[in-house]
Amino acid sequence: MEALFIIVNIAVLLAIIGLLMYMQKKHVSFAKRVFTGMGLGILLGIILQAAYGNGSEIISITTDWYSIVGSGYVRLLMVIVVPLVMVSIIRAIINLEKTKELGKMAGWIIGILVSTAMVAALVGIGSAFLFDLNAEQIEAGQAENERAESMEATYAEMENQTTPQRILNFIPNNIFLDMTGDRPTSTIAVVIFSIIVGIAVLGVRRKNPEQADLFIKIVNSLYAVVMRIVTLILRLTPFGVLALMTNMVASTNFAGIIELGKFVLASYVALIVMFFIHLAIVGGFGLNPLTYLKKVIPVLGFAFTSRSSAGTIPLNVQAQRDSLGVNEGVANMSAPFGATMGQNGCAGIYPAMLAVMIAPTVGIDPLSPGFLLQLVLIVGISSFGVAGVGGGATFAAIIVLSSMGLPVGLAGLLISVEALIDMGRTALNVNGAMVSGTVTSRVLGNLDTDTFNDKNAQTEKIAI
């Protein structure tokens, strides 16, 4: 009987996929297909949990099969990230007239990412005080204790690394290893290597134009092929969102959410406030925040369901370039940078809230100006090199809490709502990257305002 139920569940998913394919055939817009997939995924997840119960074997097996679509899609995105980052950045640099333009571009992108992460820390602190969060209010079960032990073990591996050593990890010493994504800072290492290659090509072009031209032709050809692959993969987004959202809802522990409802509410209040600050920043540079919002929603929808900033890089780059009118070089740099540094949700709000919650348990006054100033500064510094996949917030929390002299194990008390909160954090992370690209392009004077203001401009290559 269980096998029959599982077959029926798989058939339902395939039927919904068929509906989304029909919508694509009828040229329904990309954004509408993405949100249709998300909505139907939520509905299907609720039905599965209501029919079989949370944690049942049928749900476990069903979601395992659904992962072929959901996790398989994320894997396809991840496999294209390194080629996309490398070829795009090299191509962007060789199209620059002066290398000093690269410094301005990188400076603005990194500056916006880190400064907004520090603002996000203040927002997280304010939300924690507003909701009177305290770690002593949370009861620890078996899962929480196991997570605490895991975090303490991870801290034991990291505690010997100083901040300079963590920054040193950005510099690649084996580019082929970093191409495999073996380290949390692999994406940044690939970015740095690509920048070096691009600068080297500029030097060769001045001394040996013929050799440089041959390399540039090869890069342009590779770029065309890579972008075609990206387009093909991104067309699968509605299906991936459908499966990812279904699995998330079907396997969510709603009892845990109710128990930790105040923390979940506080987290999303902070995330929403920071999101409005992002819109205010966009508006502050003379751009319409509502126009910006309409164009980034599909990207944020995927980030929300996938919980992967790195996996969202291809969609991020496409949307910035084709929908927002961001300069190609800026888009290609801001997306990978935003996936590994200055993450407003994972590296800003989350560690700051935890620090304020945990401080009273060890006799520290979280209202102390010295404590708050130290916390914000540490968040800014530690926001470099946060892993751009689900769970990256854990590493950020460990770094911040340990630097503040707070016990890292208590952060494991929130494991039952980790996935739900991480969805919102990832969406905010990706939005921060897109804001940094949009504002940087605006400041440097290379933002295509006609494309930005065109309400019908979208990622045309994947909208059909």
Side-chain angles (χ1 to χ4, degrees):
M1 184 63 73
E2 287 187 357
L4 177 61
F5 286 140
I6 292 168
I7 291 172
V8 170
N9 295 339
I10 294 173
V12 171
L13 181 71
L14 292 176
I16 297 175
I17 290 175
L19 172 63
L20 293 173
M21 292 177 67
Y22 177 77
M23 293 175 65
Q24 180 175 336
K25 185 178 179 180
K26 291 297 183 180
H27 302 292
V28 176
S29 72
F30 179 71
K32 289 180 180 178
R33 285 185 283 122
V34 168
F35 281 97
T36 298
M38 182 183 296
L40 292 176
I42 294 172
L43 180 61
L44 180 56
I46 293 173
I47 292 173
L48 288 175
Q49 185 158 152
Y52 306 113
N54 181 54
S56 70
E57 186 176 355
I58 293 178
I59 285 185
S60 178
I61 297 174
T62 298
T63 54
D64 203 25
W65 280 100
Y66 285 9
S67 293
I68 296 176
V69 179
S71 299
Y73 172 65
V74 176
R75 283 177 175 239
L76 288 175
L77 283 173
M78 294 298 292
V79 81
I80 198 63
V81 166
V82 168
L84 174 64
V85 169
M86 289 193 69
V87 177
S88 298
I89 289 181
I90 292 172
R91 185 173 182 270
I93 293 174
I94 60 181
N95 288 331
L96 292 176
E97 295 182 1
K98 299 178 182 179
T99 53
K100 67 179 182 180
E101 294 178 14
L102 176 63
K104 290 181 180 179
M105 185 190 306
W108 272 98
I109 291 172
I110 295 173
I112 293 170
L113 289 170
V114 175
S115 59
T116 52
M118 296 172 74
V119 172
L122 291 173
V123 173
I125 291 169
S127 184
F129 283 131
L130 177 65
F131 286 87
D132 191 26
L133 299 180
N134 192 310
E136 293 177 340
Q137 301 169 352
I138 304 173
E139 295 182 5
Q142 181 180 353
E144 286 76 11
N145 288 328
E146 290 176 355
R147 176 62 179 274
E149 292 175 1
S150 174
M151 294 187 71
E152 288 174 351
T154 304
Y155 168 63
E157 297 175 4
M158 298 172 58
E159 65 176 336
N160 293 327
Q161 282 193 341
T162 63
T163 298
Q165 288 173 331
R166 295 188 187 110
I167 295 175
L168 186 63
N169 285 333
F170 298 158
I171 302 175
N173 63 347
N174 185 339
I175 191 59
F176 298 103
L177 179 66
D178 284 321
M179 286 181 182
T180 67
D182 184 70
R183 304 183 300 144
T185 56
S186 285
T187 304
I188 287 294
V190 171
V191 169
I192 292 174
F193 178 78
S194 303
I195 290 173
I196 293 172
V197 172
I199 293 174
V201 174
L202 293 179
V204 172
R205 187 165 62 184
R206 287 194 298 268
K207 297 183 179 180
N208 298 292
E210 293 181 1
Q211 295 180 3
D213 288 342
L214 176 60
F215 183 83
I216 291 171
K217 288 181 180 179
I218 293 173
V219 169
N220 286 332
S221 297
L222 288 173
Y223 180 79
V225 173
V226 168
M227 292 310 298
R228 182 57 184 170
I229 295 172
V230 169
T231 298
L232 292 174
I233 294 174
L234 291 183
R235 284 180 178 172
L236 302 174
T237 300
F239 315 124
V241 167
L242 165 67
L244 288 167
M245 184 57 77
T246 301
N247 281 1
M248 190 282 296
V249 175
S251 57
T252 295
N253 180 5
F254 288 101
I257 294 175
I258 294 172
E259 183 178 342
L260 295 173
K262 188 164 73 166
F263 181 80
V264 174
L265 179 60
S267 296
Y268 271 91
V269 165
L271 292 170
I272 292 170
V273 168
M274 192 61 208
F275 185 77
F276 278 107
I277 291 175
H278 284 173
L279 295 181
I281 292 172
V282 171
F285 283 87
L287 301 171
N288 189 326
L290 295 179
T291 300
Y292 168 88
L293 179 61
K294 177 183 176 182
K295 297 186 175 188
V296 302
I297 277 182
V299 185
L300 301 184
F302 172 72
F304 186 82
T305 53
S306 68
R307 298 171 53 205
S308 174
S309 298
T312 312
I313 287 175
L315 189 56
N316 187 336
V317 171
Q318 283 269 33
Q320 285 195 57
R321 187 189 64 188
D322 296 340
S323 298
L324 297 172
V326 174
N327 172 267
E328 188 173 20
V330 175
N332 289 330
M333 188 172 291
S334 62
F337 270 33
T340 47
M341 66 170 62
Q343 296 190 348
N344 290 187
C346 290
I349 289 174
Y350 185 64
M353 290 182 69
L354 289 182
V356 172
M357 289 174 60
I358 294 172
T361 66
V362 292
I364 297 176
D365 180 10
L367 289 171
S368 167
F371 174 85
L372 296 176
L373 178 61
Q374 182 185 7
L375 177 58
V376 172
L377 291 176
I378 287 176
V379 164
I381 296 171
S382 65
S383 66
F384 286 86
V386 178
V389 295
T394 299
F395 294 97
I398 291 173
I399 294 172
V400 171
L401 295 178
S402 61
S403 299
M404 297 292 292
L406 300 172
V408 299
L410 290 176
L413 296 172
L414 304 170
I415 184 174
S416 61
V417 294
E418 178 73 18
L420 178 62
I421 298 173
D422 197 43
M423 296 170 76
R425 291 193 307 237
T426 305
L428 184 66
N429 295 341
V430 171
N431 193 60
M434 300 183 80
V435 167
S436 72
T438 303
V439 171
T440 297
S441 192
R442 177 72 165 175
V443 170
L444 298 181
N446 51 32
L447 180 74
D448 186 345
T449 53
D450 290 336
T451 299
F452 182 94
N453 292 320
D454 182 0
K455 296 182 179 180
N456 295 318
Q458 56 182 324
T459 315
E460 295 177 358
K461 296 180 181 178
I462 60 175
I464 58 175

